[in-house]
Every structure is written in structure tokens, then in C-alpha cells.
Amino acid sequence: METNYFAQLNGVNVNGHTEKKNGLTYLSWAWAWGEIKKAFPDATYTIYENANGWFYHTDGKTCWVKTGVTVNGVEHIEYLPVMDYKNKSIPADQVTSFDVNKAIQRSLTKACARHGLGLYIYAGEDLPEEEAANRPEIACHDCGEVIEDTTKRDGSRWAAEQIAAYAQHRFGRVLCPSCQKKAFKAEKEAQE
Ligand SMILES: [Zn+2]
């Protein structure tokens, strides 16, 4: 089933392939891409150039990169600002090719995460909403229902990918919110 590729990549243990910088966790791009290609040899990635053929885009004030990763015929596109080591946008006139290259790698790794690989690393970050057509359906492991985006109690959006990533990390399998509740209850009962 097409929906299972997300669970497959989401189930890959990325521990030991991350690095922490300024409180944020990053996955190594070289390693992430290696894992994707191992599972899906026909996967491709794209670095989108601007009209001048540069690897970054700018409005004259700040810069950003646009990358895409295609797995199983589904492309996830990621935009990322070119930032300094404090994760602040670098003014356009101070951006170096080194900064751009780093942003491209981070952006590509994040696009891989949208396919499931190491997604839980980004669980604390807001993933911008994508067009519905661009998102594969994710099925719950236990009940088989397609997982929908939900709204958390504080009003913020909890995307289906994030729900799945959380469950994978917490329960070892992709679960919809109601099956997560059941799994949590079962855990508690087992402890009593
Ligand atoms: Zn379920």
C-alpha cells in the first residue's frame, strides 16, 4: 500500500546520526539521503534556482533556499531562510556561499523528514501547511483509518505527519489520536 512508505521511513532509528546546535537537533544530510536511497533507489532531490540561476532566492533583505525531495513519486518542497549559527536570518549583503550551502543541506534534510525520516526531530517545530494534493495519506497501524490533521488544545495545528511521528516515537508504531489514547491506557493498565 502506498501509505506504508511513510511509516517505513518514519520507523528508521535516526539516533546517533543527529547533532545539536544552539538547542536545535539536526540530522546529517549525507546520512539521511543515504537512508532514503537505500529504501527507495529512484528517489530524487532538487535544488530550485532563482531566475538568475543562483541556488538561493532573495527579496534584497533576506535570503532563502527552496529544495524538494521526491520519494515514491511524491515531492515534498521545503523553504528555509539562510540563517547564522544563532538561527537568525543573515542580511542579503552578508550571505556567503557557505551559509547557502548549509541552508540547502538543512532544507533537504527537512524535506526528507516530511517523508517520515527523522520527523520526530522536528516535532517541536511548526511545519508549514502543504497543499493537500502534495501529501500522502498516512494510515493508523491499529485501526487502519487515515490520520487527519487536528487542532491541539492551545489552538495550534497538529499535522497528520507530526501525529504519526509522535506515535512512532512514543509507541513504536503509527497511530491515530484515538488509538494513541487506547495505547496509553493499555500502557497504564499494564503498569498497575
Ligand atoms: Zn487508529
PDB file of all heavy atoms in Angstrom, residues 98-137:
ATOM      1  N   PHE A  98      28.956  29.531   1.755  1.00  0.00           N
ATOM      2  CA  PHE A  98      28.966  28.561   2.847  1.00  0.00           C
ATOM      3  C   PHE A  98      27.605  28.550   3.561  1.00  0.00           C
ATOM      4  O   PHE A  98      27.050  27.483   3.819  1.00  0.00           O
ATOM      5  CB  PHE A  98      30.093  28.902   3.832  1.00  0.00           C
ATOM      6  CG  PHE A  98      30.110  28.034   5.057  1.00  0.00           C
ATOM      7  CD1 PHE A  98      30.681  26.762   5.015  1.00  0.00           C
ATOM      8  CD2 PHE A  98      29.569  28.483   6.251  1.00  0.00           C
ATOM      9  CE1 PHE A  98      30.695  25.959   6.146  1.00  0.00           C
ATOM     10  CE2 PHE A  98      29.573  27.684   7.385  1.00  0.00           C
ATOM     11  CZ  PHE A  98      30.143  26.419   7.339  1.00  0.00           C
ATOM     12  N   ASP A  99      27.078  29.752   3.844  1.00  0.00           N
ATOM     13  CA  ASP A  99      25.765  29.866   4.502  1.00  0.00           C
ATOM     14  C   ASP A  99      24.670  29.239   3.635  1.00  0.00           C
ATOM     15  O   ASP A  99      23.791  28.541   4.136  1.00  0.00           O
ATOM     16  CB  ASP A  99      25.406  31.340   4.738  1.00  0.00           C
ATOM     17  CG  ASP A  99      26.427  32.050   5.615  1.00  0.00           C
ATOM     18  OD1 ASP A  99      26.956  31.410   6.541  1.00  0.00           O
ATOM     19  OD2 ASP A  99      26.698  33.248   5.345  1.00  0.00           O
ATOM     20  N   VAL A 100      24.735  29.508   2.340  1.00  0.00           N
ATOM     21  CA  VAL A 100      23.718  28.997   1.416  1.00  0.00           C
ATOM     22  C   VAL A 100      23.777  27.473   1.368  1.00  0.00           C
ATOM     23  O   VAL A 100      22.751  26.786   1.442  1.00  0.00           O
ATOM     24  CB  VAL A 100      23.907  29.589   0.001  1.00  0.00           C
ATOM     25  CG1 VAL A 100      22.995  28.897  -1.007  1.00  0.00           C
ATOM     26  CG2 VAL A 100      23.639  31.090   0.021  1.00  0.00           C
ATOM     27  N   ASN A 101      24.996  26.962   1.302  1.00  0.00           N
ATOM     28  CA  ASN A 101      25.177  25.520   1.242  1.00  0.00           C
ATOM     29  C   ASN A 101      24.616  24.837   2.491  1.00  0.00           C
ATOM     30  O   ASN A 101      23.976  23.788   2.405  1.00  0.00           O
ATOM     31  CB  ASN A 101      26.673  25.213   1.086  1.00  0.00           C
ATOM     32  CG  ASN A 101      26.909  23.816   0.583  1.00  0.00           C
ATOM     33  OD1 ASN A 101      26.090  23.278  -0.172  1.00  0.00           O
ATOM     34  ND2 ASN A 101      27.990  23.213   1.008  1.00  0.00           N
ATOM     35  N   LYS A 102      24.842  25.440   3.639  1.00  0.00           N
ATOM     36  CA  LYS A 102      24.344  24.889   4.896  1.00  0.00           C
ATOM     37  C   LYS A 102      22.812  24.897   4.898  1.00  0.00           C
ATOM     38  O   LYS A 102      22.182  23.926   5.311  1.00  0.00           O
ATOM     39  CB  LYS A 102      24.882  25.728   6.060  1.00  0.00           C
ATOM     40  CG  LYS A 102      25.178  24.922   7.294  1.00  0.00           C
ATOM     41  CD  LYS A 102      25.968  25.739   8.300  1.00  0.00           C
ATOM     42  CE  LYS A 102      25.290  27.073   8.550  1.00  0.00           C
ATOM     43  NZ  LYS A 102      26.020  27.951   9.478  1.00  0.00           N
ATOM     44  N   ALA A 103      22.224  25.992   4.429  1.00  0.00           N
ATOM     45  CA  ALA A 103      20.762  26.100   4.377  1.00  0.00           C
ATOM     46  C   ALA A 103      20.183  25.045   3.435  1.00  0.00           C
ATOM     47  O   ALA A 103      19.146  24.439   3.724  1.00  0.00           O
ATOM     48  CB  ALA A 103      20.347  27.500   3.930  1.00  0.00           C
ATOM     49  N   ILE A 104      20.860  24.803   2.316  1.00  0.00           N
ATOM     50  CA  ILE A 104      20.384  23.796   1.359  1.00  0.00           C
ATOM     51  C   ILE A 104      20.368  22.418   2.012  1.00  0.00           C
ATOM     52  O   ILE A 104      19.393  21.674   1.909  1.00  0.00           O
ATOM     53  CB  ILE A 104      21.262  23.801   0.085  1.00  0.00           C
ATOM     54  CG1 ILE A 104      20.941  25.048  -0.754  1.00  0.00           C
ATOM     55  CG2 ILE A 104      21.077  22.522  -0.732  1.00  0.00           C
ATOM     56  CD1 ILE A 104      21.890  25.285  -1.909  1.00  0.00           C
ATOM     57  N   GLN A 105      21.435  22.084   2.731  1.00  0.00           N
ATOM     58  CA  GLN A 105      21.504  20.770   3.368  1.00  0.00           C
ATOM     59  C   GLN A 105      20.421  20.610   4.425  1.00  0.00           C
ATOM     60  O   GLN A 105      19.764  19.573   4.504  1.00  0.00           O
ATOM     61  CB  GLN A 105      22.883  20.565   3.991  1.00  0.00           C
ATOM     62  CG  GLN A 105      23.969  20.463   2.932  1.00  0.00           C
ATOM     63  CD  GLN A 105      25.245  19.856   3.450  1.00  0.00           C
ATOM     64  OE1 GLN A 105      25.321  19.395   4.582  1.00  0.00           O
ATOM     65  NE2 GLN A 105      26.269  19.844   2.621  1.00  0.00           N
ATOM     66  N   ARG A 106      20.230  21.656   5.230  1.00  0.00           N
ATOM     67  CA  ARG A 106      19.186  21.606   6.255  1.00  0.00           C
ATOM     68  C   ARG A 106      17.811  21.471   5.633  1.00  0.00           C
ATOM     69  O   ARG A 106      16.952  20.748   6.127  1.00  0.00           O
ATOM     70  CB  ARG A 106      19.212  22.910   7.054  1.00  0.00           C
ATOM     71  CG  ARG A 106      20.093  22.876   8.247  1.00  0.00           C
ATOM     72  CD  ARG A 106      19.635  24.019   9.117  1.00  0.00           C
ATOM     73  NE  ARG A 106      20.711  24.566   9.893  1.00  0.00           N
ATOM     74  CZ  ARG A 106      20.586  25.686  10.611  1.00  0.00           C
ATOM     75  NH1 ARG A 106      19.463  26.362  10.591  1.00  0.00           N
ATOM     76  NH2 ARG A 106      21.578  26.118  11.327  1.00  0.00           N
ATOM     77  N   SER A 107      17.607  22.228   4.562  1.00  0.00           N
ATOM     78  CA  SER A 107      16.320  22.234   3.886  1.00  0.00           C
ATOM     79  C   SER A 107      16.014  20.868   3.275  1.00  0.00           C
ATOM     80  O   SER A 107      14.901  20.351   3.379  1.00  0.00           O
ATOM     81  CB  SER A 107      16.356  23.336   2.833  1.00  0.00           C
ATOM     82  OG  SER A 107      15.288  23.250   1.951  1.00  0.00           O
ATOM     83  N   LEU A 108      17.028  20.266   2.658  1.00  0.00           N
ATOM     84  CA  LEU A 108      16.851  18.934   2.063  1.00  0.00           C
ATOM     85  C   LEU A 108      16.546  17.898   3.147  1.00  0.00           C
ATOM     86  O   LEU A 108      15.702  17.028   2.968  1.00  0.00           O
ATOM     87  CB  LEU A 108      18.115  18.532   1.295  1.00  0.00           C
ATOM     88  CG  LEU A 108      18.309  19.190  -0.075  1.00  0.00           C
ATOM     89  CD1 LEU A 108      19.742  18.967  -0.572  1.00  0.00           C
ATOM     90  CD2 LEU A 108      17.319  18.645  -1.089  1.00  0.00           C
ATOM     91  N   THR A 109      17.250  18.002   4.272  1.00  0.00           N
ATOM     92  CA  THR A 109      17.031  17.051   5.358  1.00  0.00           C
ATOM     93  C   THR A 109      15.613  17.188   5.901  1.00  0.00           C
ATOM     94  O   THR A 109      14.954  16.201   6.229  1.00  0.00           O
ATOM     95  CB  THR A 109      18.057  17.295   6.481  1.00  0.00           C
ATOM     96  OG1 THR A 109      19.354  17.320   5.911  1.00  0.00           O
ATOM     97  CG2 THR A 109      18.005  16.178   7.503  1.00  0.00           C
ATOM     98  N   LYS A 110      15.133  18.434   5.949  1.00  0.00           N
ATOM     99  CA  LYS A 110      13.770  18.671   6.425  1.00  0.00           C
ATOM    100  C   LYS A 110      12.742  18.136   5.430  1.00  0.00           C
ATOM    101  O   LYS A 110      11.695  17.630   5.822  1.00  0.00           O
ATOM    102  CB  LYS A 110      13.561  20.168   6.655  1.00  0.00           C
ATOM    103  CG  LYS A 110      12.634  20.469   7.796  1.00  0.00           C
ATOM    104  CD  LYS A 110      12.721  21.922   8.207  1.00  0.00           C
ATOM    105  CE  LYS A 110      11.636  22.242   9.225  1.00  0.00           C
ATOM    106  NZ  LYS A 110      11.672  23.641   9.659  1.00  0.00           N
ATOM    107  N   ALA A 111      13.064  18.238   4.145  1.00  0.00           N
ATOM    108  CA  ALA A 111      12.171  17.669   3.130  1.00  0.00           C
ATOM    109  C   ALA A 111      12.116  16.150   3.277  1.00  0.00           C
ATOM    110  O   ALA A 111      11.058  15.535   3.116  1.00  0.00           O
ATOM    111  CB  ALA A 111      12.631  18.074   1.729  1.00  0.00           C
ATOM    112  N   CYS A 112      13.248  15.531   3.609  1.00  0.00           N
ATOM    113  CA  CYS A 112      13.268  14.082   3.879  1.00  0.00           C
ATOM    114  C   CYS A 112      12.371  13.768   5.075  1.00  0.00           C
ATOM    115  O   CYS A 112      11.662  12.759   5.087  1.00  0.00           O
ATOM    116  CB  CYS A 112      14.685  13.593   4.186  1.00  0.00           C
ATOM    117  SG  CYS A 112      15.809  13.620   2.789  1.00  0.00           S
ATOM    118  N   ALA A 113      12.394  14.652   6.080  1.00  0.00           N
ATOM    119  CA  ALA A 113      11.590  14.427   7.293  1.00  0.00           C
ATOM    120  C   ALA A 113      10.107  14.430   6.970  1.00  0.00           C
ATOM    121  O   ALA A 113       9.325  13.702   7.580  1.00  0.00           O
ATOM    122  CB  ALA A 113      11.908  15.482   8.334  1.00  0.00           C
ATOM    123  N   ARG A 114       9.703  15.242   5.988  1.00  0.00           N
ATOM    124  CA  ARG A 114       8.298  15.265   5.596  1.00  0.00           C
ATOM    125  C   ARG A 114       7.867  13.913   5.012  1.00  0.00           C
ATOM    126  O   ARG A 114       6.690  13.584   4.993  1.00  0.00           O
ATOM    127  CB  ARG A 114       8.039  16.355   4.567  1.00  0.00           C
ATOM    128  CG  ARG A 114       8.060  17.756   5.151  1.00  0.00           C
ATOM    129  CD  ARG A 114       7.680  18.725   4.070  1.00  0.00           C
ATOM    130  NE  ARG A 114       7.798  20.108   4.496  1.00  0.00           N
ATOM    131  CZ  ARG A 114       6.834  20.774   5.143  1.00  0.00           C
ATOM    132  NH1 ARG A 114       5.712  20.179   5.448  1.00  0.00           N
ATOM    133  NH2 ARG A 114       7.016  22.027   5.482  1.00  0.00           N
ATOM    134  N   HIS A 115       8.836  13.160   4.534  1.00  0.00           N
ATOM    135  CA  HIS A 115       8.540  11.803   4.056  1.00  0.00           C
ATOM    136  C   HIS A 115       8.583  10.801   5.207  1.00  0.00           C
ATOM    137  O   HIS A 115       8.386   9.619   4.999  1.00  0.00           O
ATOM    138  CB  HIS A 115       9.546  11.385   2.983  1.00  0.00           C
ATOM    139  CG  HIS A 115       9.368  12.098   1.680  1.00  0.00           C
ATOM    140  ND1 HIS A 115       8.335  11.828   0.822  1.00  0.00           N
ATOM    141  CD2 HIS A 115      10.094  13.080   1.099  1.00  0.00           C
ATOM    142  CE1 HIS A 115       8.431  12.608  -0.256  1.00  0.00           C
ATOM    143  NE2 HIS A 115       9.487  13.387  -0.103  1.00  0.00           N
ATOM    144  N   GLY A 116       8.907  11.277   6.393  1.00  0.00           N
ATOM    145  CA  GLY A 116       8.897  10.400   7.566  1.00  0.00           C
ATOM    146  C   GLY A 116      10.234  10.263   8.259  1.00  0.00           C
ATOM    147  O   GLY A 116      10.293  10.033   9.462  1.00  0.00           O
ATOM    148  N   LEU A 117      11.338  10.401   7.517  1.00  0.00           N
ATOM    149  CA  LEU A 117      12.661  10.099   8.079  1.00  0.00           C
ATOM    150  C   LEU A 117      13.073  11.144   9.121  1.00  0.00           C
ATOM    151  O   LEU A 117      13.358  12.291   8.789  1.00  0.00           O
ATOM    152  CB  LEU A 117      13.712  10.033   6.964  1.00  0.00           C
ATOM    153  CG  LEU A 117      15.105   9.615   7.425  1.00  0.00           C
ATOM    154  CD1 LEU A 117      15.132   8.165   7.873  1.00  0.00           C
ATOM    155  CD2 LEU A 117      16.128   9.841   6.328  1.00  0.00           C
ATOM    156  N   GLY A 118      13.128  10.715  10.376  1.00  0.00           N
ATOM    157  CA  GLY A 118      13.564  11.622  11.444  1.00  0.00           C
ATOM    158  C   GLY A 118      12.597  12.748  11.722  1.00  0.00           C
ATOM    159  O   GLY A 118      12.981  13.771  12.289  1.00  0.00           O
ATOM    160  N   LEU A 119      11.331  12.539  11.377  1.00  0.00           N
ATOM    161  CA  LEU A 119      10.359  13.628  11.529  1.00  0.00           C
ATOM    162  C   LEU A 119      10.197  14.060  12.979  1.00  0.00           C
ATOM    163  O   LEU A 119       9.952  15.215  13.263  1.00  0.00           O
ATOM    164  CB  LEU A 119       9.006  13.231  10.925  1.00  0.00           C
ATOM    165  CG  LEU A 119       7.919  14.303  10.997  1.00  0.00           C
ATOM    166  CD1 LEU A 119       8.353  15.571  10.262  1.00  0.00           C
ATOM    167  CD2 LEU A 119       6.623  13.800  10.397  1.00  0.00           C
ATOM    168  N   TYR A 120      10.367  13.110  13.898  1.00  0.00           N
ATOM    169  CA  TYR A 120      10.123  13.466  15.305  1.00  0.00           C
ATOM    170  C   TYR A 120      11.103  14.520  15.804  1.00  0.00           C
ATOM    171  O   TYR A 120      10.822  15.228  16.771  1.00  0.00           O
ATOM    172  CB  TYR A 120      10.127  12.217  16.194  1.00  0.00           C
ATOM    173  CG  TYR A 120      11.476  11.583  16.408  1.00  0.00           C
ATOM    174  CD1 TYR A 120      12.331  12.068  17.389  1.00  0.00           C
ATOM    175  CD2 TYR A 120      11.885  10.497  15.653  1.00  0.00           C
ATOM    176  CE1 TYR A 120      13.558  11.481  17.596  1.00  0.00           C
ATOM    177  CE2 TYR A 120      13.100   9.910  15.856  1.00  0.00           C
ATOM    178  CZ  TYR A 120      13.940  10.396  16.834  1.00  0.00           C
ATOM    179  OH  TYR A 120      15.159   9.819  17.028  1.00  0.00           O
ATOM    180  N   ILE A 121      12.240  14.642  15.141  1.00  0.00           N
ATOM    181  CA  ILE A 121      13.211  15.683  15.496  1.00  0.00           C
ATOM    182  C   ILE A 121      12.564  17.057  15.379  1.00  0.00           C
ATOM    183  O   ILE A 121      12.864  17.971  16.138  1.00  0.00           O
ATOM    184  CB  ILE A 121      14.438  15.600  14.561  1.00  0.00           C
ATOM    185  CG1 ILE A 121      15.266  14.373  14.921  1.00  0.00           C
ATOM    186  CG2 ILE A 121      15.297  16.857  14.663  1.00  0.00           C
ATOM    187  CD1 ILE A 121      16.433  14.167  13.984  1.00  0.00           C
ATOM    188  N   TYR A 122      11.661  17.191  14.421  1.00  0.00           N
ATOM    189  CA  TYR A 122      11.034  18.483  14.157  1.00  0.00           C
ATOM    190  C   TYR A 122       9.689  18.624  14.861  1.00  0.00           C
ATOM    191  O   TYR A 122       8.954  19.563  14.597  1.00  0.00           O
ATOM    192  CB  TYR A 122      10.822  18.679  12.648  1.00  0.00           C
ATOM    193  CG  TYR A 122      12.102  18.612  11.858  1.00  0.00           C
ATOM    194  CD1 TYR A 122      12.529  17.429  11.280  1.00  0.00           C
ATOM    195  CD2 TYR A 122      12.886  19.756  11.714  1.00  0.00           C
ATOM    196  CE1 TYR A 122      13.712  17.373  10.566  1.00  0.00           C
ATOM    197  CE2 TYR A 122      14.072  19.708  11.003  1.00  0.00           C
ATOM    198  CZ  TYR A 122      14.478  18.508  10.430  1.00  0.00           C
ATOM    199  OH  TYR A 122      15.642  18.460   9.736  1.00  0.00           O
ATOM    200  N   ALA A 123       9.371  17.665  15.744  1.00  0.00           N
ATOM    201  CA  ALA A 123       8.040  17.654  16.363  1.00  0.00           C
ATOM    202  C   ALA A 123       7.745  18.962  17.093  1.00  0.00           C
ATOM    203  O   ALA A 123       6.605  19.385  17.162  1.00  0.00           O
ATOM    204  CB  ALA A 123       7.901  16.468  17.306  1.00  0.00           C
ATOM    205  N   GLY A 124       8.762  19.614  17.626  1.00  0.00           N
ATOM    206  CA  GLY A 124       8.547  20.861  18.338  1.00  0.00           C
ATOM    207  C   GLY A 124       8.445  22.064  17.418  1.00  0.00           C
ATOM    208  O   GLY A 124       8.143  23.160  17.844  1.00  0.00           O
ATOM    209  N   GLU A 125       8.705  21.859  16.152  1.00  0.00           N
ATOM    210  CA  GLU A 125       8.673  22.973  15.206  1.00  0.00           C
ATOM    211  C   GLU A 125       7.385  22.947  14.414  1.00  0.00           C
ATOM    212  O   GLU A 125       6.804  21.903  14.197  1.00  0.00           O
ATOM    213  CB  GLU A 125       9.834  22.859  14.197  1.00  0.00           C
ATOM    214  CG  GLU A 125      11.160  23.247  14.747  1.00  0.00           C
ATOM    215  CD  GLU A 125      12.227  23.175  13.660  1.00  0.00           C
ATOM    216  OE1 GLU A 125      11.977  23.639  12.543  1.00  0.00           O
ATOM    217  OE2 GLU A 125      13.301  22.626  13.949  1.00  0.00           O
ATOM    218  N   ASP A 126       6.975  24.111  13.980  1.00  0.00           N
ATOM    219  CA  ASP A 126       5.778  24.182  13.162  1.00  0.00           C
ATOM    220  C   ASP A 126       6.132  23.855  11.717  1.00  0.00           C
ATOM    221  O   ASP A 126       6.996  24.482  11.136  1.00  0.00           O
ATOM    222  CB  ASP A 126       5.201  25.590  13.240  1.00  0.00           C
ATOM    223  CG  ASP A 126       3.751  25.554  13.666  1.00  0.00           C
ATOM    224  OD1 ASP A 126       3.297  24.465  14.086  1.00  0.00           O
ATOM    225  OD2 ASP A 126       3.097  26.585  13.577  1.00  0.00           O
ATOM    226  N   LEU A 127       5.456  22.865  11.178  1.00  0.00           N
ATOM    227  CA  LEU A 127       5.642  22.571   9.765  1.00  0.00           C
ATOM    228  C   LEU A 127       4.593  23.354   8.992  1.00  0.00           C
ATOM    229  O   LEU A 127       3.410  23.197   9.249  1.00  0.00           O
ATOM    230  CB  LEU A 127       5.473  21.071   9.490  1.00  0.00           C
ATOM    231  CG  LEU A 127       6.545  20.153  10.054  1.00  0.00           C
ATOM    232  CD1 LEU A 127       6.165  18.697   9.801  1.00  0.00           C
ATOM    233  CD2 LEU A 127       7.887  20.439   9.420  1.00  0.00           C
ATOM    234  N   PRO A 128       5.007  24.212   8.088  1.00  0.00           N
ATOM    235  CA  PRO A 128       4.007  24.967   7.324  1.00  0.00           C
ATOM    236  C   PRO A 128       3.086  24.024   6.566  1.00  0.00           C
ATOM    237  O   PRO A 128       3.512  22.958   6.131  1.00  0.00           O
ATOM    238  CB  PRO A 128       4.839  25.801   6.343  1.00  0.00           C
ATOM    239  CG  PRO A 128       6.245  25.638   6.739  1.00  0.00           C
ATOM    240  CD  PRO A 128       6.365  24.459   7.647  1.00  0.00           C
ATOM    241  N   GLU A 129       1.853  24.448   6.458  1.00  0.00           N
ATOM    242  CA  GLU A 129       0.859  23.614   5.794  1.00  0.00           C
ATOM    243  C   GLU A 129       1.199  23.436   4.320  1.00  0.00           C
ATOM    244  O   GLU A 129       1.613  24.383   3.662  1.00  0.00           O
ATOM    245  CB  GLU A 129      -0.511  24.248   5.930  1.00  0.00           C
ATOM    246  CG  GLU A 129      -1.613  23.256   5.733  1.00  0.00           C
ATOM    247  CD  GLU A 129      -2.884  23.660   6.484  1.00  0.00           C
ATOM    248  OE1 GLU A 129      -2.823  24.649   7.226  1.00  0.00           O
ATOM    249  OE2 GLU A 129      -3.879  22.980   6.309  1.00  0.00           O
ATOM    250  N   GLU A 130       1.021  22.245   3.824  1.00  0.00           N
ATOM    251  CA  GLU A 130       1.281  21.969   2.416  1.00  0.00           C
ATOM    252  C   GLU A 130      -0.040  21.745   1.706  1.00  0.00           C
ATOM    253  O   GLU A 130      -1.042  21.454   2.329  1.00  0.00           O
ATOM    254  CB  GLU A 130       2.117  20.700   2.278  1.00  0.00           C
ATOM    255  CG  GLU A 130       3.577  20.920   2.503  1.00  0.00           C
ATOM    256  CD  GLU A 130       4.343  19.690   2.037  1.00  0.00           C
ATOM    257  OE1 GLU A 130       4.291  18.670   2.730  1.00  0.00           O
ATOM    258  OE2 GLU A 130       4.980  19.761   0.984  1.00  0.00           O
ATOM    259  N   GLU A 131       0.002  21.860   0.422  1.00  0.00           N
ATOM    260  CA  GLU A 131      -1.203  21.563  -0.345  1.00  0.00           C
ATOM    261  C   GLU A 131      -1.592  20.108  -0.145  1.00  0.00           C
ATOM    262  O   GLU A 131      -0.750  19.228  -0.124  1.00  0.00           O
ATOM    263  CB  GLU A 131      -0.949  21.806  -1.830  1.00  0.00           C
ATOM    264  CG  GLU A 131      -0.931  23.263  -2.190  1.00  0.00           C
ATOM    265  CD  GLU A 131      -0.459  23.473  -3.605  1.00  0.00           C
ATOM    266  OE1 GLU A 131      -0.934  22.750  -4.489  1.00  0.00           O
ATOM    267  OE2 GLU A 131       0.402  24.346  -3.801  1.00  0.00           O
ATOM    268  N   ALA A 132      -2.891  19.896   0.022  1.00  0.00           N
ATOM    269  CA  ALA A 132      -3.379  18.554   0.320  1.00  0.00           C
ATOM    270  C   ALA A 132      -2.928  17.550  -0.746  1.00  0.00           C
ATOM    271  O   ALA A 132      -2.588  16.420  -0.443  1.00  0.00           O
ATOM    272  CB  ALA A 132      -4.893  18.559   0.431  1.00  0.00           C
ATOM    273  N   ALA A 133      -2.900  17.996  -1.988  1.00  0.00           N
ATOM    274  CA  ALA A 133      -2.560  17.098  -3.095  1.00  0.00           C
ATOM    275  C   ALA A 133      -1.120  16.602  -2.984  1.00  0.00           C
ATOM    276  O   ALA A 133      -0.763  15.571  -3.530  1.00  0.00           O
ATOM    277  CB  ALA A 133      -2.757  17.813  -4.419  1.00  0.00           C
ATOM    278  N   ASN A 134      -0.321  17.348  -2.258  1.00  0.00           N
ATOM    279  CA  ASN A 134       1.100  17.036  -2.153  1.00  0.00           C
ATOM    280  C   ASN A 134       1.414  16.112  -0.984  1.00  0.00           C
ATOM    281  O   ASN A 134       2.557  15.776  -0.739  1.00  0.00           O
ATOM    282  CB  ASN A 134       1.879  18.342  -1.992  1.00  0.00           C
ATOM    283  CG  ASN A 134       3.331  18.194  -2.365  1.00  0.00           C
ATOM    284  OD1 ASN A 134       3.697  17.273  -3.092  1.00  0.00           O
ATOM    285  ND2 ASN A 134       4.164  19.074  -1.855  1.00  0.00           N
ATOM    286  N   ARG A 135       0.367  15.713  -0.246  1.00  0.00           N
ATOM    287  CA  ARG A 135       0.626  14.939   0.966  1.00  0.00           C
ATOM    288  C   ARG A 135       0.065  13.528   0.846  1.00  0.00           C
ATOM    289  O   ARG A 135      -1.123  13.350   0.607  1.00  0.00           O
ATOM    290  CB  ARG A 135      -0.005  15.640   2.165  1.00  0.00           C
ATOM    291  CG  ARG A 135       0.573  17.011   2.389  1.00  0.00           C
ATOM    292  CD  ARG A 135      -0.174  17.742   3.457  1.00  0.00           C
ATOM    293  NE  ARG A 135      -0.094  17.050   4.751  1.00  0.00           N
ATOM    294  CZ  ARG A 135      -0.922  17.300   5.747  1.00  0.00           C
ATOM    295  NH1 ARG A 135      -1.898  18.154   5.598  1.00  0.00           N
ATOM    296  NH2 ARG A 135      -0.779  16.672   6.894  1.00  0.00           N
ATOM    297  N   PRO A 136       0.903  12.544   1.050  1.00  0.00           N
ATOM    298  CA  PRO A 136       0.379  11.176   1.019  1.00  0.00           C
ATOM    299  C   PRO A 136      -0.459  10.916   2.259  1.00  0.00           C
ATOM    300  O   PRO A 136      -0.251  11.530   3.295  1.00  0.00           O
ATOM    301  CB  PRO A 136       1.641  10.318   1.036  1.00  0.00           C
ATOM    302  CG  PRO A 136       2.672  11.172   1.675  1.00  0.00           C
ATOM    303  CD  PRO A 136       2.333  12.604   1.364  1.00  0.00           C
ATOM    304  N   GLU A 137      -1.437  10.029   2.126  1.00  0.00           N
ATOM    305  CA  GLU A 137      -2.254   9.670   3.284  1.00  0.00           C
ATOM    306  C   GLU A 137      -1.458   8.770   4.210  1.00  0.00           C
ATOM    307  O   GLU A 137      -0.654   7.953   3.761  1.00  0.00           O
ATOM    308  CB  GLU A 137      -3.520   8.933   2.825  1.00  0.00           C
ATOM    309  CG  GLU A 137      -4.492   9.833   2.105  1.00  0.00           C
ATOM    310  CD  GLU A 137      -5.756   9.094   1.727  1.00  0.00           C
ATOM    311  OE1 GLU A 137      -5.721   7.852   1.630  1.00  0.00           O
ATOM    312  OE2 GLU A 137      -6.784   9.764   1.508  1.00  0.00           O
TER     313      GLU A 137
END
